[in-house]
Amino acid sequence: MSLAVEAVSSSNNNMGFEGNREGEEENEILGIDEVDEGAKKLTRQASESSNYVSDDDEEEEERKIELGPQRTLKEQIEIDKEDESLRRWKEQLLGSIDLNSVGETLEPDVKILSLAILSPGRPDLILPIPEVGVPKGLWFTLKEGSRYSLKFTFKVSNNIVSGLRYTNQVWKTGVKVDNTKEMLGVFSPQSEPYTHQMPEETTPSGIFARGSYSAKTKFVDDDDKCYLNISYTFDIRKDWPST
């Protein structure tokens, strides 16, 4: 999930912040066993850009990649009709989408509907999404040495979103202790929300792992358009908080 942090002590436990971890392949998310070569034309970006997430908090110079022309969803369907492999890929990606409902909007829109922390034997911890990007007070508390995963739902509208990715950075006492990056994939507009669950992880344990952390979570796409940017704090404690 990476809403938490790798141990800052000598403990071997971690919270899933295992460096620059990439997510599932885009074709697995789409339910496609094999993505044809022609699909590359639709993503508007070189494949290497989908695996790159800049660390803007360290003010690193972002890699400049020239994008192709942006097209509406209807235009993307009409182009390259003679390319059979690309046509099949579009059909798999778009399914039975109603083109009249998406209009002629160029910019895709992604709305993060829910965020939840799942831990075996515990009720799901639903995280309220703040309107201004900064939750009031402590956002959540995790027990040291506990297993957990992050689950979120989101809805895509207007156009295809390419290279949607999740990033999370964590600090303890002003020192960055984790930087997680998860590629989610390419998603087409649809009426039903998408659901994604991150791999299960384990919180660190020990006296040096316990305490307060600050973090920043973002959802961005290949065009560096940000759909959610949350700065928050959380705790790792000896036990779960009382309910």
Side-chain angles (χ1 to χ4, degrees):
M1 131 189 187
S2 316
L3 284 176
V5 55
E6 193 167 294
V8 292
S9 66
S10 58
S11 168
N12 289 329
N13 293 330
N14 64 72
M15 295 191 70
F17 290 134
E18 301 170 353
N20 298 340
R21 170 169 51 81
E22 296 297 336
E24 299 293 330
E25 296 292 336
E26 294 180 7
N27 56 324
E28 293 178 1
I29 294 174
L30 297 172
I32 304 171
D33 295 329
E34 188 174 272
V35 179
D36 295 311
E37 182 70 20
K40 296 178 182 177
K41 300 178 182 178
L42 194 59
T43 60
R44 299 182 54 248
Q45 183 125 350
S47 60
E48 62 177 316
S49 68
S50 296
N51 297 323
Y52 174 74
V53 181
S54 63
D55 186 359
D56 54 353
D57 288 275
E58 293 181 352
E59 299 182 354
E60 294 179 356
E61 183 178 357
E62 294 185 2
R63 193 187 321 187
K64 302 299 181 182
I65 299 176
E66 184 177 352
L67 301 178
Q70 194 170 22
R71 296 183 173 93
T72 66
L73 188 57
K74 289 182 179 180
E75 289 173 337
Q76 293 191 65
I77 293 174
E78 290 298 319
I79 62 174
D80 300 318
K81 276 188 171 182
E82 70 283 357
D83 190 324
E84 182 65 20
S85 63
L86 182 56
R87 184 188 63 79
R88 290 198 307 268
W89 186 80
K90 289 178 182 178
E91 290 175 353
Q92 290 175 304
L93 174 64
L94 299 175
S96 57
I97 186 173
D98 181 9
L99 292 179
N100 294 323
S101 66
V102 297
E104 299 291 339
T105 306
L106 284 174
E107 294 287 339
D109 185 62
V110 178
K111 183 174 180 59
I112 309 301
L113 302 176
S114 67
L115 293 168
I117 298 175
L118 284 57
S119 185
R122 299 275 306 175
D124 293 353
L125 177 59
I126 307 300
L127 303 176
I129 301 176
E131 293 183 2
V132 295
V134 181
K136 294 182 179 179
L138 195 69
W139 206 24
F140 60 87
T141 297
L142 298 176
K143 177 185 177 182
E144 64 175 350
S146 60
R147 292 181 293 130
Y148 74 97
S149 61
L150 174 66
K151 180 180 180 180
F152 50 86
T153 61
F154 59 96
K155 187 173 183 180
V156 178
S157 56
N158 297 340
N159 207 337
I160 294 171
V161 59
S162 175
L164 184 64
R165 60 190 184 268
Y166 161 92
T167 69
N168 193 71
Q169 300 175 80
V170 182
W171 295 263
K172 191 174 192 295
T173 62
V175 177
K176 182 180 286 188
V177 294
D178 191 80
N179 187 20
T180 295
K181 306 164 187 179
E182 177 89 2
M183 174 56 64
L184 304 179
V186 178
F187 300 89
S188 65
Q190 64 176 35
S191 57
E192 295 299 320
Y194 292 95
T195 298
H196 182 80
Q197 184 167 339
M198 306 279 273
E200 188 176 81
E201 304 167 6
T202 302
T203 61
S205 60
I207 188 172
F208 294 107
R210 295 194 292 268
S212 296
Y213 296 79
S214 60
K216 177 181 287 188
T217 290
K218 295 174 68 175
F219 289 85
V220 298
D221 65 14
D222 269 350
D223 294 315
D224 287 327
K225 182 178 179 180
C226 183
Y227 300 101
L228 185 65
N229 187 349
I230 303 178
S231 297
Y232 61 94
T233 59
F234 68 93
D235 280 357
I236 293 178
R237 297 180 182 172
K238 206 166 186 177
D239 208 342
W240 293 102
S242 57
T243 56

